[in-house]
Amino acid sequence: MRSLLSLLVFVGLSGMAQAQSVAVMLGDSGLTPDDIKAVLAESEALYTNPEVQAGDKSTWQNEASGASGSIEVTGVEEGCVLITHIFETQEKAGQQRAEFKRCKRADGLWQLE
């Protein structure tokens, strides 16, 4: 089983490209495209909050796929937010973990680091 313990990728992303790249990275996780949409939406609500701080959390659930998870901000520094995702799917036994770093660019857009 491939580990999702540390998925930090250096790619400038926005919108659809971001969703496609996250989908590729999580392709072996058992998450469905709808699960990934839920993850992205909850994650974005956290890291784009101007008052975001370490310890901020959110959860998501997709009743159709049976997947669910939590998202926690584990660090905030110099325009970047470190985010940890812990989730379970019907396709894989046990909890899985993925970590991402989002940084705000000079033009105001967020990118996956």
Side-chain angles (χ1 to χ4, degrees):
M1 178 170 99
R2 284 187 245 167
S3 172
L4 294 177
L5 289 177
S6 184
L7 292 175
L8 299 174
V9 195
F10 293 92
V11 182
L13 302 170
S14 65
M16 184 60 81
Q18 174 181 319
Q20 289 173 347
S21 294
V22 171
V24 168
M25 289 185 292
L26 297 176
D28 189 39
S29 68
L31 293 171
T32 69
D34 286 339
D35 297 335
I36 292 171
K37 286 179 189 177
V39 168
L40 290 174
E42 288 298 321
S43 182
E44 183 176 359
L46 286 173
Y47 68 76
T48 60
N49 180 345
E51 297 178 15
V52 65
Q53 54 188 315
D56 288 353
K57 296 179 183 180
S58 184
T59 60
W60 63 274
Q61 180 176 339
N62 182 347
E63 291 182 20
S65 72
S68 62
S70 65
I71 303 165
E72 181 175 357
V73 175
T74 55
V76 178
E77 54 187 50
E78 299 180 26
C80 295
V81 179
L82 304 171
I83 302 166
T84 299
H85 301 268
I86 297 174
F87 56 94
E88 294 184 38
T89 69
Q90 297 293 321
E91 299 294 316
K92 298 266 185 172
Q95 287 188 337
Q96 297 181 72
R97 178 183 177 105
E99 296 176 345
F100 296 95
K101 181 178 182 180
R102 301 281 185 160
C103 294
K104 193 170 187 178
R105 302 184 325 197
D107 63 5
L109 295 176
W110 288 85
Q111 75 180 32
L112 186 62
E113 288 284 316

